[in-house]
Amino acid sequence: MAVQRGRTGTVAAVSALGLTAALAGCGLTGDSGDVTLKLVAADYGDSSANSSQKYWDSLAKEYEAKHEGVRVDVSVYSWSDVDRKVKELVEAGDAPDMAQIGAYADYADAGQLYKADDLVSIPVQADWISQLSNAGEVKGVQYGMPFAASTRLLFYNKTLFTQAGLTPPTTWDELAQDAQALKSEGVKYPYALPLGPEEAQAETMQWLLGGGGGYTDTLGTYSIDSTENTDTFTWLRDNLVAKKLTGPVAPGKLDRADAFAAFAKGQVGMLNGHPSLMGMAEDKGVKFGMVPMPGENGQNKISMGVADWMTAFKQNGHAEQIGDFLDFVYSEKNVLAFSRKYDLLPVTESASEVMSTDKRDADLKPFLDELPLSETYPVGETSWAQVSAAVKKRIGAAVTPTGNPAAVLSQLQATATSAQNTP
């Protein structure tokens, strides 16, 4: 998130690890023999008022009241820091019992994580949405437990579209035509294309899928420099960026958070967004619509999905207590409460069924509808972290007016191949 992952992901919404997690130690409190479970979690809130720390503290208090002898100590960090903080704790030999983070494959490959079926009950495992639980696997074994999810839709400013006499696009050519019309009306960002270092991997993947490509082929091998992907970024360069339809900030310099903020100010005609953008726009009084992201020849049949992950480290040996706590975390009641609080998609079938029919969740239904059709990052590859970082750093150069998409994608492919082949 990422679901931002911003997900962007992000989803974006951001989370990080708690400072007190560095004090995890052996996980025992005093001489009582009581177990203290250390959890590092990401912050999905956008202020102290709705910080994830409050959510987790309340959840831990409720659990502890029914489980004498077990304490749950939660530390929350922003998404900018969370993965780094967990890495530091693990490298210092002080791993938390659980970490709710964006990636897990490196830890699984190093033998540091419990398998999911060593922890949670069979009913909980069976309730996870299948493509998310499958995405949590490394070499066919599940280590990453899906915790939160999001998909992407094309957001458009209804007021600006009405003024320009437009209807939402269903193809890339229609999107470019709408962007040109918006530009003629003086719209600052006809289509906001955030390929800056914050979450470029998300915007990139959505466009690759729309062009019939992606980061990997059907066998899971990186195919970043495929003909389809090269054609996609050539189209972006020639039909949006070169025609100055992406706004005053170069795509490679535009971050997702800034693009969202501009949309909430009424300065953006269209952009690729996740559920958290709804609240931002509503708070500023922006009237918006949402439709599936256009593809090259029609509405994209495959959407980008983002999941954030719960992981459990073996170091302190609390498998039984971790599993019992996670069964509680993944109860329908708690999954619904978290998803509703942060405008995220539930990762369980039971909670999804409730939200798909409950009127209070009607604004999330378009995103829920996309989830079964979504494709996630190749997070099960230990190389993905390195590849994602390279995409964030380099992909913006592919769409500059003088950029060479084939050369940039070839460089990224070389990075991916090297990372995938490194033991």
Side-chain angles (χ1 to χ4, degrees):
M1 347 190 151
V3 293
Q4 35 159 211
R5 188 319 305 29
R7 131 315 245 125
T8 47
T10 46
V11 96
V14 203
S15 16
L17 312 183
L19 186 61
T20 54
L23 306 177
C26 65
L28 300 180
T29 59
D31 297 323
S32 67
D34 291 353
V35 170
T36 295
L37 297 177
K38 298 288 185 175
L39 166 63
V40 172
D43 193 356
Y44 291 85
D46 55 13
S47 68
S48 58
N50 68 348
S51 167
S52 294
Q53 187 72 55
K54 291 186 176 181
Y55 170 83
W56 282 111
D57 286 348
S58 175
L59 200 67
K61 185 177 180 180
E62 182 182 352
Y63 180 80
E64 291 167 355
K66 300 176 182 178
H67 297 80
E68 185 176 354
V70 178
R71 289 187 61 248
V72 183
D73 186 358
V74 185
S75 299
V76 172
Y77 283 81
S78 77
W79 271 113
S80 300
D81 298 326
V82 65
D83 288 321
R84 175 177 58 83
K85 289 290 186 179
V86 170
K87 183 178 180 182
E88 289 173 354
L89 291 171
V90 173
E91 290 178 347
D94 208 7
D97 294 284
M98 294 166 283
Q100 186 264 301
I101 48 180
Y104 61 86
D106 285 350
Y107 301 123
D109 192 59
Q112 296 170 317
L113 299 181
Y114 284 114
K115 294 182 290 186
D117 60 10
D118 287 338
L119 299 169
V120 299
S121 65
I122 291 175
V124 168
Q125 293 180 61
D127 199 25
W128 284 325
I129 293 172
S130 59
Q131 74 261 39
L132 297 180
S133 57
N134 291 341
E137 295 180 354
V138 174
K139 299 176 182 177
V141 178
Q142 185 179 358
Y143 296 93
M145 293 166 277
F147 181 75
S150 71
T151 54
R152 300 294 194 266
L153 292 171
L154 181 73
F155 282 67
Y156 65 97
N157 184 308
K158 283 188 172 181
T159 301
L160 297 178
F161 264 59
T162 298
Q163 290 172 352
L166 301 174
T167 56
T170 60
T171 67
W172 288 356
D173 286 345
E174 289 177 4
L175 186 148
Q177 292 165 11
D178 286 354
Q180 185 63 61
L182 291 165
K183 180 185 177 184
S184 298
E185 292 288 325
V187 176
K188 188 173 183 178
Y189 293 90
Y191 178 86
L193 183 65
L195 295 176
E198 179 194 3
E199 205 184 29
Q201 83 286 0
E203 185 75 13
T204 296
M205 182 170 174
Q206 186 66 70
W207 281 96
L208 296 183
L209 291 172
Y215 285 120
T216 60
D217 60 23
T218 55
L219 299 177
T221 302
Y222 285 107
S223 56
I224 298 173
D225 62 349
S226 69
T227 300
E228 292 85 356
N229 292 346
T230 302
D231 289 347
T232 292
F233 270 80
T234 301
W235 188 93
L236 283 171
R237 181 196 65 187
D238 295 345
N239 293 277
L240 292 184
V241 182
K243 294 181 179 179
K244 302 186 185 302
L245 301 180
T246 55
V249 180
K253 302 286 187 182
L254 182 65
D255 281 337
R256 187 266 316 155
D258 294 332
F260 278 21
F263 187 86
K265 293 177 182 177
Q267 299 173 340
V268 175
M270 299 173 280
L271 87 172
N272 176 27
H274 55 62
S276 68
L277 182 56
M278 295 189 298
M280 293 177 63
E282 288 167 354
D283 288 346
K284 297 293 185 179
V286 173
K287 296 180 179 179
F288 63 90
M290 303 177 298
V291 294
M293 188 69 182
E296 183 176 13
N297 301 308
Q299 286 186 335
N300 196 359
K301 292 182 173 57
I302 301 177
S303 176
M304 188 193 72
V306 177
D308 300 328
W309 306 95
M310 179 68 73
T311 59
F313 287 87
K314 294 179 179 179
Q315 181 178 320
N316 299 322
H318 295 146
E320 182 178 351
Q321 293 86 356
I322 292 170
D324 190 68
F325 176 66
L326 290 180
D327 279 354
F328 174 72
V329 168
Y330 284 105
S331 68
E332 181 181 301
K333 174 180 75 99
N334 289 329
V335 171
L336 283 170
F338 182 84
S339 300
R340 286 169 171 160
K341 184 175 182 65
Y342 296 109
D343 280 335
L344 292 165
L345 304 184
V347 297
T348 62
E349 295 285 0
S350 58
S352 293
E353 289 175 8
V354 172
M355 292 184 74
S356 66
T357 57
D358 196 316
K359 290 182 179 179
R360 81 183 96 169
D361 304 309
D363 56 349
L364 283 174
K365 192 173 188 310
F367 296 95
L368 282 165
D369 291 343
E370 290 290 302
L371 191 56
L373 309 173
S374 65
E375 182 174 318
T376 63
Y377 302 130
V379 290
E381 296 288 340
T382 57
S383 55
W384 171 242
Q386 185 177 342
V387 174
S388 176
V391 171
K392 292 178 182 180
K393 182 178 180 180
R394 301 177 192 167
I395 196 64
V399 296
T400 62
T402 58
N404 186 333
V408 172
L409 295 177
S410 179
Q411 292 169 358
L412 291 171
Q413 177 67 31
T415 297
T417 300
S418 175
Q420 194 171 42
N421 292 335
T422 300

